[in-house]
Amino acid sequence: MIINIAVGPISRKTMNDLHEYMRSFSPEPHMAFWADDQAYLELTSPEALELLKAQFPEIELRILDRQYSLS
């Protein structure tokens, strides 16, 4: 399963920090990228999303997949 997430608003430095954290601690692979001024993540597990929410609670995450929610 791929979970597509719009992140932010967020600075490029903070997104880089988030990406480095996920690279070091996420249980599954992920992708982080920018399109225009919007940051996005693609996660492959709910556990990675929970890790992200716990470590960066102040960052707004908008799930773009209809079959998955943040609850």
Side-chain angles (χ1 to χ4, degrees):
M1 163 187 8
I2 295 177
I3 305 167
N4 295 301
I5 304 167
V7 182
I10 191 171
S11 72
R12 290 188 183 265
K13 181 189 180 317
T14 302
M15 184 62 174
N16 187 52
D17 292 345
L18 184 150
H19 179 60
E20 289 297 320
Y21 178 83
M22 293 301 287
R23 187 179 306 168
S24 297
F25 297 105
S26 176
E28 301 287 334
H30 74 285
M31 279 186 45
F33 58 95
W34 288 85
D36 296 321
D37 289 334
Q38 178 61 59
Y40 295 93
L41 287 171
E42 287 185 353
L43 304 178
T44 56
S45 73
E47 293 82 12
L49 177 59
E50 293 304 317
L51 180 66
L52 181 65
K53 288 176 10 184
Q55 185 63 31
F56 297 92
E58 70 284 356
I59 295 177
E60 181 182 346
L61 304 172
R62 292 181 308 284
I63 302 296
L64 303 175
D65 301 322
R66 292 182 185 183
Q67 72 269 14
Y68 197 87
S69 70
L70 273 175
S71 53

